[in-house]
Amino acid sequence: MAAVHALAHAIASAFLDGPWVPREMAQRATYAVRGVRTETRVGLHLVIPHEAVRTRTWLPALARATVMRFPEPPHATLDALAVWIGDQDSLARHAHITVVRAIALPAPAMSTMRGALADLGVPSITTLPELAAQIGTSVAALDFLSRARPREIVRPQHRTTLLRKQSGGLRVLEIPSPPLARAQRAILDAIVAHVPIHDAAHGFVRGRSPRSAAVRHMHREVVVRLDLADFFLSITAARVRGVFSRMGYPDVIAARLTRLTTTATRPDVIASLRTHVDHASTHALAQRLRTPHLPQGAPSSPALANLVAYHLDARLAGLARRFGATYTRYADDLTFSGDASLSHHVRGLVRSVVAICRDESFGVRHDKTRVLRRHRRQDVLGVVVNDRPNLARDRYDLLRAVLHRVAREGWERAEIDGQPIGPSALAGHVAHACTLVNDARARKLRAMLARLP
């Protein structure tokens, strides 16, 4: 029974650690467990070896059965899913010839933080009334905001806007209702902001900025930029719940915090995708949108994304050290830079980055990978880093366009880098730009900001 219990937990963890799609679930579970050689002893000296189980053909069937039983990733506990998996006949048949890897799966967040609430300064919350009090609402409002009522009577808590990207594709903004946004902001300030992120992460972090990331790549022989595909959509509710669980919160609280900070896109929005993107892209995007995920547009999403991506950052930082390079991440923008030795191994670096990202359940947009060598403009997050930090002209033009749009149309559709912005955020962007441009341009940006409503 111990073997069945360990195997069930390893498979349940692998299933929950990525897209809720049978094929990908089976792939993660196959990584998490492996077949072992067995042997039969006859007498004292004769040993008859048996062939190891090289494939786990039963795992795809188990993954399909799990998705049929749970059409969406269960917000229930990991233990509950493991118990259901442990009751399946296929598990009992294979448990005696299968073992769990030393590392069952690459944990996407700070597994070492489990139970360290006192050290983090994170509030101890063990009941729903305590959670409601912490975020300044009632238990009834908490139930409503976290979709705890029957589905047919729940109003949509997010307003969805579909925006075409300049580079092609579609950006899906999911803006929470004001009460939900207040709850998410409270969760961010009271809980999430206390958990440390990786040093390589610079996006949406107090005291860090595009400039702080860009200056790490100054005076380099080569700069390599990669983009993660559908960054927020790739971060499923299961991975977010893992972050809250590793903070030490009991399952009922971790599940409720997850419901408050994730969403599944409404069916009517998904049905409208075919009018915006081609058929081949629609299916993949629709699958991600159906799976509960971090909404791009929620105040808590960037910080939670940084925590989920902690293990990705750790592995990519280690890879960069192996290549003698520097690594930073700003949201979905990955940047590596180094000297002449890296310049000769760029292909190997890119292949390794793509493999690590795939292993961590992130995809890379190959069409946006850029290799910028010393003899041409090296642009990192809109900052030119060849000699000294300087705001790229297209970034300056973008900021002017946003200021002009807000002055003309108001704040309704104001956004930069796919994130909705308000007055304070836009003022921060202007202040950042003014440190990188000449005095005349700085005065122009400040004047445009002062004229906004």
Side-chain angles (χ1 to χ4, degrees):
M1 290 301 293
V4 173
H5 178 79
L7 183 58
H9 270 75
I11 293 174
S13 296
F15 280 178
L16 290 169
D17 192 51
W20 198 247
V21 179
R23 181 178 60 83
E24 298 185 36
M25 293 163 63
Q27 289 174 348
R28 293 194 299 272
T30 300
Y31 173 85
V33 301
R34 58 181 171 87
V36 294
R37 296 183 66 87
T38 58
E39 59 186 27
T40 299
R41 292 184 174 272
V42 180
L44 295 176
H45 304 290
L46 182 60
V47 177
I48 303 175
H50 297 247
E51 186 65 22
V53 178
R54 297 186 183 279
T55 61
R56 271 72 67 195
T57 55
W58 52 281
L59 283 173
L62 179 60
R64 290 192 295 270
T66 303
V67 172
M68 289 184 63
R69 173 61 179 81
F70 304 99
E72 295 182 356
H75 285 289
T77 67
L78 170 66
D79 290 340
L81 181 59
V83 167
W84 184 85
I85 291 175
D87 288 338
Q88 306 308 300
D89 294 339
S90 58
L91 203 79
R93 290 198 302 270
H94 293 90
H96 68 288
I97 55 173
T98 311
V99 296
V100 177
R101 286 184 186 268
I103 301 176
L105 54 96
M110 290 76 69
S111 58
T112 57
M113 304 303 293
R114 185 184 294 275
L117 294 179
D119 296 337
L120 290 176
V122 173
S124 176
I125 303 172
T126 58
T127 66
L128 292 179
E130 290 176 355
L131 176 59
Q134 183 66 51
I135 64 177
T137 189
S138 65
V139 174
L142 191 69
D143 287 343
F144 176 75
L145 294 174
S146 59
R147 313 183 302 279
R149 299 181 181 184
R151 181 173 296 181
E152 61 270 18
I153 66 172
V154 174
R155 300 176 188 172
Q157 291 292 336
H158 292 82
R159 175 173 53 83
T160 305
T161 302
L162 304 179
L163 301 175
R164 286 193 178 277
K165 301 179 183 178
Q166 290 183 351
S167 58
L170 200 65
R171 176 176 289 118
V172 183
L173 294 182
E174 297 175 299
I175 313 300
S177 64
L180 180 57
R182 287 193 292 271
Q184 291 169 344
R185 173 63 65 180
I187 293 169
L188 172 64
D189 294 339
I191 299 173
V192 179
H194 291 276
V195 183
I197 63 170
H198 198 276
D199 291 340
H202 288 255
F204 314 103
V205 181
R206 191 184 300 269
R208 304 182 199 177
S209 65
R211 179 191 174 97
S212 69
V215 296
R216 301 274 302 273
H217 304 285
M218 289 179 56
H219 309 295
R220 301 301 170 91
E221 189 66 28
V222 62
V223 173
V224 182
R225 294 181 359 212
L226 304 95
D227 269 27
L228 298 177
D230 297 328
F231 180 56
F232 288 100
L233 294 180
S234 299
I235 300 175
T236 62
R239 303 176 78 177
V240 174
R241 188 192 59 225
V243 168
F244 290 120
S245 294
R246 290 180 179 98
M247 292 181 195
Y249 286 114
D251 294 319
V252 64
I253 301 302
R256 191 57 65 96
L257 287 169
T258 300
R259 285 182 175 270
L260 287 166
T261 54
T262 61
T263 188
T265 307
R266 302 195 316 270
D268 62 301
V269 174
I270 296 175
S272 70
L273 290 178
R274 61 177 58 93
T275 64
H276 295 83
V277 294
D278 59 82
H279 177 74
S281 303
T282 298
H283 179 74
L285 180 59
Q287 183 60 46
R288 289 187 181 277
L289 291 171
R290 289 189 190 98
T291 303
H293 56 269
L294 281 181
Q296 186 172 359
S300 52
S301 290
L304 283 168
N306 281 336
L307 295 183
V308 171
Y310 185 94
H311 198 259
L312 172 71
D313 290 333
R315 294 182 66 183
L316 292 180
L319 177 70
R321 286 193 296 271
R322 198 177 79 192
F323 278 86
T326 299
Y327 161 70
T328 61
R329 181 180 60 81
Y330 191 96
D332 57 355
D333 292 300
L334 314 179
T335 306
F336 297 81
S337 65
D339 56 19
S341 62
L342 176 64
S343 183
H344 298 302
H345 298 91
V346 168
R347 288 187 178 182
L349 172 69
V350 171
R351 282 197 301 267
S352 298
V353 171
V354 171
I356 289 174
C357 290
R358 185 185 304 115
D359 199 32
E360 294 291 332
S361 298
F362 290 103
V364 172
R365 286 196 57 179
H366 297 281
D367 60 314
K368 298 193 71 174
T369 298
R370 298 289 184 269
V371 179
L372 309 175
R373 302 189 185 275
R374 183 71 176 164
H375 62 272
R376 59 180 293 190
R377 191 182 81 169
Q378 294 174 323
D379 177 0
V380 177
L381 301 169
V383 180
V384 179
V385 296
N386 293 69
D387 298 310
R388 64 180 182 83
N390 186 29
L391 190 69
R393 178 56 189 261
D394 54 356
R395 195 70 182 180
Y396 173 75
D397 291 341
L398 170 66
L399 190 54
R400 285 190 59 193
V402 172
L403 289 165
H404 180 69
R405 181 189 304 166
V406 173
R408 187 181 58 196
E409 303 176 5
W411 294 95
E412 181 68 19
R413 297 186 59 170
E415 58 102 17
I416 290 181
D417 298 330
Q419 284 294 312
I421 55 171
S424 60
L426 184 55
H429 280 282
V430 170
H432 161 68
C434 288
T435 66
L436 298 170
V437 298
N438 58 43
D439 291 341
R441 287 187 172 182
R443 285 194 299 271
K444 181 175 290 187
L445 290 176
R446 292 191 186 103
M448 293 181 71
L449 180 67
R451 290 194 294 267
L452 296 185

